[in-house]
Amino acid sequence: MKLTKHTDYAFRVLIYLAGYEKDKLATIKEVTAVFDISRDHVMKIVQKLAKAGFVDAIRGKFGGMKLGSNAADINLRDVVTLMEVTLAPVNCEEPPCRIAQGCVLQTLLFEAQELFLSHLGQYTLSDLIKPESETLYIIKALGESFAAGE
Amino acid sequence: MKLTKHTDYAFRVLIYLAGYEKDKLATIKEVTAVFDISRDHVMKIVQKLAKAGFVDAIRGKFGGMKLGSNAADINLRDVVTLMEVTLAPVNCEEPPCRIAQGCVLQTLLFEAQELFLSHLGQYTLSDLIKPESETLYIIKALGESFAAGE
DNA sequence: TCAAAAGATGTATTTATAATACCCCTATTA
DNA sequence: TAATAGGGGTATTATAAATACATCTTTTGA
Ligand code: SF4
Ligand code: SF4
């Protein structure tokens, strides 16, 4: 009953990018350094985010990445849906459940899951990174100390 | 993002017991046969349920088990809470997240989780096994065919 | 034109944890 | 006292997540 690290790593990356000035590019190297996650790992996550359009990845020298759309248009539910492999709270088929037919529990679990997701669906990336928020402040500091450390 | 099989197996056992006449005992063997789960596995789950008081396990010849209280008093949220090892939707400490301080996402995820759990908290075992329900009918049939097959 | 910087991608390995199995114990009662 | 039924520790296996490795292509400026 928890999200995978991939999902949360995706959020970390997105939050970081959301803290950037629009159109300024961050590199994989930077995200890797700032969050202390391996390059390969970050790559996988960024690629998934890029394919879904949440980030724009620009190849080549002086390439990098930025948000694929406005932070206000990146819905948190969509990010979870993209990153999580399994969203069903229970698998009634394997092994097959003898009481699956008409099982009320099944209905309740899916309702509960929907409440979880729809709560996230009420927010976007921009809600995580409001001006004057602590997170925004921290991100800017992390970015600066990376730039300085180069 | 899903419950463990243990949790659902616990529900299967509880639902089965709830379908029994009050004070009639079911055996591990019966549950094992009906749901096609190994004895050892069922044992582990029943023991956990017994320790929490959700079922009464009676040892010795002609022993068995029954619900530890009225079906209407067994809250679904409590069952999930008991069986799930990890309920936190995200672990911000391992590996430590650099933006954990003041992270809004963290708050939102825990709120979402609470919505999930509190939805289940509105129901009890008796809601899963209403008179004339399909589930109750199926359970009785399973019990009878087990009794006949002995 | 080619070297450096940056992302792309497929595959393999490792690790964590859930799931299952094994073994022997204790309690109860005809 | 034998048969039946649950108790509980430990070991193994399976599955999926997490991570690592290797090798690519793209872009650009010296
Ligand atoms: S008890 Fe209900 S929810 Fe659980 S596996 Fe069976 S059908 Fe699905
Ligand atoms: S981004 Fe927020 S929710 Fe995710 S690990 Fe960091 S603090 Fe926790």
Side-chain angles (χ1 to χ4, degrees), chain B residues 18-92:
Chain B
Y20 253 62
E21 287 104 89
K22 207 164 154 36
D23 295 327
K24 198 184 155 199
L25 299 180
T27 64
I28 292 281
K29 206 173 163 187
E30 176 172 355
V31 172
T32 298
V34 165
F35 287 107
D36 201 28
I37 313 173
S38 85
R39 185 195 112 105
D40 303 285
H41 214 180
V42 176
M43 281 301 297
K44 289 286 146 67
I45 287 150
V46 167
Q47 278 167 45
K48 202 160 189 180
L49 291 172
K51 271 187 181 153
F54 292 126
V55 313
D56 276 348
I58 295 105
R59 283 185 161 203
K61 204 170 177 182
F62 301 114
M65 61 184 142
K66 61 188 174 71
L67 288 185
S69 49
N70 290 325
D73 294 326
I74 297 180
N75 188 285
L76 303 188
R77 177 183 185 142
D78 296 336
V79 176
V80 170
T81 306
L82 172 71
M83 299 304 295
E84 285 296 304
V85 259
T86 156
L87 273 174
V90 71
N91 184 344
C92 307

Side-chain angles (χ1 to χ4, degrees), chain A:
Chain A
M1 197 61 219
K2 65 172 196 291
L3 300 170
T4 64
K5 288 191 177 176
H6 265 69
T7 302
D8 190 56
Y9 286 165
F11 276 121
R12 296 189 198 188
V13 171
L14 289 172
I15 291 171
Y16 190 74
L17 294 179
Y20 253 61
E21 286 104 89
K22 205 161 155 39
D23 295 327
K24 197 184 155 199
L25 298 181
T27 63
I28 293 279
K29 207 172 163 189
E30 175 171 357
V31 172
T32 298
V34 166
F35 287 108
D36 200 29
I37 312 173
S38 87
R39 184 194 114 106
D40 303 286
H41 213 180
V42 176
M43 280 302 297
K44 288 287 148 66
I45 287 151
V46 167
Q47 277 166 49
K48 204 161 187 179
L49 290 172
K51 270 185 183 154
F54 293 126
V55 313
D56 276 349
I58 294 104
R59 281 185 163 202
K61 204 171 177 180
F62 301 113
M65 61 184 142
K66 59 186 175 74
L67 288 186
S69 48
N70 290 324
D73 294 327
I74 298 180
N75 188 284
L76 303 188
R77 177 183 183 141
D78 295 337
V79 176
V80 169
T81 306
L82 172 71
M83 299 303 296
E84 286 295 305
V85 258
T86 155
L87 273 175
V90 72
N91 185 343
C92 307
E93 276 81 45
E94 220 163 288
C97 180
R98 305 284 289 272
I99 57 175
Q101 215 183 330
C103 178
V104 178
L105 176 62
Q106 198 178 341
T107 309
L108 295 179
L109 288 173
F110 277 86
E111 283 171 7
Q113 177 78 331
E114 178 55 30
L115 286 173
F116 181 99
L117 292 174
S118 62
H119 184 247
L120 295 180
Q122 292 176 252
Y123 301 91
T124 70
L125 247 199
S126 62
D127 294 311
L128 306 182
I129 198 83
K130 295 243 178 69
E132 307 302 318
S133 73
E134 196 167 1
T135 303
L136 187 53
Y137 176 80
I138 293 171
I139 285 177
K140 292 212 180 289
L142 287 170
E144 277 160 29
S145 76
F146 171 78
E150 274 212 311

